């Protein structure tokens, strides 16, 4: 099938976050032979409030990260697959319908399905926006027959309900320009959390019902899958940075020191056995002792607000009782000790950190880098899909002609 693919190819995924840029490298020989070469990250410079504030700084950050990974692994690559999330992303539902025939009925073809899907994307997007993904939820034939896949059914009108992931085109184009200025080409743009789901969730989880939480620095993305379809997307304006800010405000320390305290001394659980311990915190020119309990009390309102907002968002999906595979958490915010337990307590569902089948890295690394790995995987999928079509074009002309003739027949007879 892939006789035109010779040797190994490198795929690079780049996840642009408000605090960190994360990247991954996959070495792929064929769709069944994939190796995770490397994962790495760098501080995000030149990017503030969901827009590029300094093109040169952002380009330098991307170039430094990717060049270092290429040298470390002794590989060369030009294309990167870019991912976005957080404030850059918006979600909405849209609906569109097309007539199939004036009289009688016809067999619905792939061409009809593609046409109604494209129209739904066009109707659901604003002038300044670009569509990253369109997820058809269901199709309706003649206002009667609801189907997941209407191919081959008879009908006079075809309607689709679609879940769209869109972004403002201007900041996205500026980030793409930064990548190009860094010396690389953007071969595809995607929603980072969705990219992560492609490498984290198996078919059983997608069918039984699963919620994926991507807890970033400022925003948490919520994706719910059921019956093999992405059914619901939402986001909460809450992330790890909210905890850092609360510690800094209550303890009167700098944000950098607050970040260190969050990483090493903070727990979301009031019942944590270490809460009676004291730590020394530098304030001005002296060190003062502070109990872990004081830190826990400082962040508890933030944690309570987050889990309540999460519970309300999942309830809005109308799929709360159908998440038979529970919740999977990724992103830097998911690593806060005790947070998973707080989510489990609030929602009454099992919660676990994301785990990659193709990685031997520790679970914390997977939780942070899963979107970047998923972006590289989407790049590989795109490449092999195009290669498959190329092979079919070269050797499957007769079959293609037969299929076109079938569609022509169903279109007019």
């Amino acid at each position: 099938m892939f006789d035109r693919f010779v040797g190994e190819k490198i795929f690079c995924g780049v996840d642009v976050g408000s605090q960190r840029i994360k990247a991954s490298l996959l070495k792929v020989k064929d769709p069944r032979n994939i190796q995770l070469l490397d994962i790495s990250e760098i501080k995000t410079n030149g990017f503030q409030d969901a827009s590029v504030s300094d093109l040169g700084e952002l380009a330098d950050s991307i170039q430094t990260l990717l060049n270092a990974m290429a040298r470390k692994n002794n590989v060369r690559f030009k294309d990167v697959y870019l991912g976005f999330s957080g404030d850059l992303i918006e979600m909405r539902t849209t609906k569109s319908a097309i007539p199939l025939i004036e009289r009688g009925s016809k067999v619905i073809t792939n061409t009809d399905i593609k046409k109604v899907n494209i129209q739904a994307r066009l109707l659901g997007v604003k002038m300044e926006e670009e569509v990253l993904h369109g997820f058809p939820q269901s199709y309706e034939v003649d206002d009667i027959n609801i189907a997941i896949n209407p191919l081959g059914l008879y009908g006079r009108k075809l309607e689709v309900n679609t879940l769209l992931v869109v972004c403002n085109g201007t900041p996205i184009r500026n980030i793409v320009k930064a990548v190009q200025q860094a010396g690389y080409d953007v071969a595809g743009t995607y929603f980072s959390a969705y990219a992560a789901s492609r490498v984290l969730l198996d078919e059983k989880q997608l069918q039984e019902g699963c919620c994926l939480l991507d807890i970033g620095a400022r925003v948490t993305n919520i994706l719910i899958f059921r019956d093999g379809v992405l059914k619901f997307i939402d986001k909460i304006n809450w992330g790890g940075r909210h905890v850092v800010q609360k510690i800094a405000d209550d303890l009167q320390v700098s944000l950098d020191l607050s970040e260190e305290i969050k990483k090493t001394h903070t727990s979301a659980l009031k019942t944590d056995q270490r809460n009676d311990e004291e730590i020394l915190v530098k304030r001005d020119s002296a060190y003062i002792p502070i109990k872990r309990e004081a830190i826990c009390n400082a962040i508890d309102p933030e944690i309570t607000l987050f889990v309540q907002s999460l519970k309300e968002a999942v309830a809005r999906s109308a799929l709360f009782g159908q998440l038979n595979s529970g919740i999977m958490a990724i992103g830097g915010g998911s690593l806060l000790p005790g947070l998973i337990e707080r989510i489990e307590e609030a929602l009454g569902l099992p919660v676990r950190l994301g785990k990659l089948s193709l990685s031997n890295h520790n679970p914390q690394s997977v939780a942070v880098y899963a979107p970047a790995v998923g972006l590289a995987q989407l790049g590989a999928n795109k490449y092999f899909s195009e290669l498959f079509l190329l092979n079919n074009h070269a050797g499957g002309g007769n079959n293609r002609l037969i299929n076109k003739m079938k569609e022509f027949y169903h279109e007019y007879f």
Side-chain angles (χ1 to χ4, degrees):
M1 182 182 296
F2 301 103
D3 54 315
R4 295 195 175 194
F5 181 62
V6 179
E8 297 171 330
K9 187 171 176 64
I10 302 300
F11 294 91
C12 176
V14 178
D15 179 26
V16 181
S18 61
Q19 301 295 315
R20 311 288 292 181
I21 301 171
K22 302 176 181 67
S24 73
L25 292 180
L26 293 183
K27 183 168 70 174
V28 182
K29 187 173 183 180
D30 59 60
R32 295 170 295 278
N33 192 346
I34 301 175
Q35 177 186 353
L36 177 59
L37 277 186
D38 199 8
I39 50 178
S40 188
E41 66 179 322
I42 195 170
K43 182 181 178 182
T44 304
N45 292 316
F47 186 76
Q48 292 180 346
D49 300 325
S51 64
V52 176
S53 57
D54 190 309
L55 186 64
E57 285 189 356
L58 181 58
D60 287 345
S61 296
I62 295 170
Q63 185 179 62
T64 300
L65 175 62
L66 299 188
N67 286 359
M69 295 178 73
R71 287 194 300 269
K72 175 184 174 183
N73 295 279
N74 194 28
V75 296
R76 297 177 65 183
F77 58 91
K78 187 70 172 175
D79 292 341
V80 301
Y81 296 87
L82 204 54
F84 314 99
S85 59
D87 293 331
L88 292 170
I89 300 298
E90 295 294 335
M91 307 86 170
R92 68 175 64 101
T93 57
T94 183
K95 180 182 291 189
S96 178
I98 60 170
L100 299 174
I101 195 170
E102 291 184 4
R103 296 182 180 180
S105 59
K106 70 180 286 289
V107 174
I108 297 172
T109 65
N110 281 318
T111 301
D112 299 320
I113 297 173
K114 182 178 180 181
K115 182 178 179 181
V116 75
N117 286 341
I118 291 174
Q119 184 163 299
R121 291 164 71 104
L122 291 174
L123 292 176
V125 69
K126 299 176 184 177
M127 186 66 68
E128 71 279 6
E129 293 177 335
E130 295 181 7
V131 177
L132 291 181
H133 303 280
F135 302 103
Q137 301 296 292
S138 63
Y139 296 88
E140 196 167 313
V141 181
D142 294 348
D143 301 322
I144 300 173
N145 190 6
I146 297 177
I148 298 297
N149 182 6
L151 183 64
L153 298 178
Y154 283 98
R156 296 181 61 185
K157 185 180 80 169
L158 179 63
E159 184 174 304
V160 64
N161 294 293
T162 301
L163 179 61
L164 291 181
V165 179
V166 303
C167 60
N168 187 299
T170 300
I172 299 303
R173 283 190 288 272
N174 286 331
I175 296 172
V176 169
K177 187 175 182 180
V179 173
Q180 294 168 342
Q181 191 167 308
Y184 296 87
D185 294 328
V186 175
T189 55
Y190 305 96
F191 177 31
S192 294
Y194 172 69
S197 74
R198 298 296 297 268
V199 292
L200 290 172
L201 304 179
D202 58 30
E203 188 60 32
K204 181 180 179 182
Q205 291 168 319
L206 295 175
Q207 290 290 337
E208 290 185 347
C210 182
C211 176
L212 178 67
L213 298 182
D214 184 5
I215 308 174
R218 300 183 184 278
V219 175
T220 295
N221 291 296
I222 306 165
L223 286 72
I224 296 182
F225 298 82
R226 175 72 187 184
D227 299 325
V229 177
L230 179 53
K231 293 283 192 181
F232 179 81
I233 307 176
D234 203 351
K235 65 179 180 180
I236 301 172
N237 291 319
W238 190 95
R241 200 65 180 172
H242 290 74
V243 174
V244 173
Q245 187 67 59
K246 196 69 169 67
I247 294 172
D249 292 343
D250 280 35
L251 302 187
Q252 297 181 342
V253 297
S254 68
L255 287 175
D256 288 341
L257 179 56
S258 177
E259 180 70 38
E260 289 301 315
I261 293 173
K262 187 198 80 167
K263 289 180 179 179
T264 57
H265 301 296
T266 303
S267 173
L269 290 175
K270 287 186 175 182
T271 57
D272 194 305
Q273 296 178 350
R274 300 173 300 169
N275 283 348
D276 288 333
E277 299 175 3
E278 286 187 342
I279 63 171
L280 293 176
V281 175
K282 187 176 182 180
R283 186 178 292 167
D284 297 326
S285 59
Y287 286 88
I288 61 171
I290 294 178
K291 277 196 172 186
R292 285 175 180 260
E293 183 180 15
I295 303 172
C296 181
N297 289 336
I299 70 169
D300 186 66
E302 285 291 338
I303 303 300
T304 300
L305 174 65
F306 170 64
V307 295
Q308 181 59 34
S309 299
L310 176 59
K311 186 174 182 179
E312 292 171 358
V314 176
R316 284 196 299 272
S317 73
L319 296 166
F320 195 99
Q322 301 180 46
L323 301 179
N324 298 319
S325 288
I327 298 173
M328 184 176 289
I330 60 172
S334 67
L335 304 181
L336 179 66
L339 183 60
I340 282 180
E341 288 81 358
R342 289 288 295 271
I343 297 172
E344 285 184 333
E345 180 184 3
L347 275 72
L349 293 168
V351 184
R352 60 195 180 282
L353 284 177
K355 183 178 180 181
L356 286 172
S357 59
L358 51 79
S359 171
N360 57 4
H361 294 80
N362 65 60
Q364 291 196 346
S365 293
V366 172
V368 172
Y369 290 99
V373 176
L375 291 165
Q377 179 71 65
L378 284 175
N381 294 346
K382 178 183 177 183
Y383 175 81
F384 283 109
S385 295
E386 293 173 351
L387 187 65
F388 177 76
L389 292 175
L390 181 64
N391 281 350
N392 274 356
H393 180 77
N398 290 336
N399 289 335
R400 216 170 46 254
L401 178 60
I402 291 172
N403 288 334
K404 285 291 184 183
M405 290 177 65
K406 286 181 178 178
E407 288 205 3
F408 178 83
Y409 175 83
H410 289 308
E411 187 79 31
Y412 295 102
F413 298 100

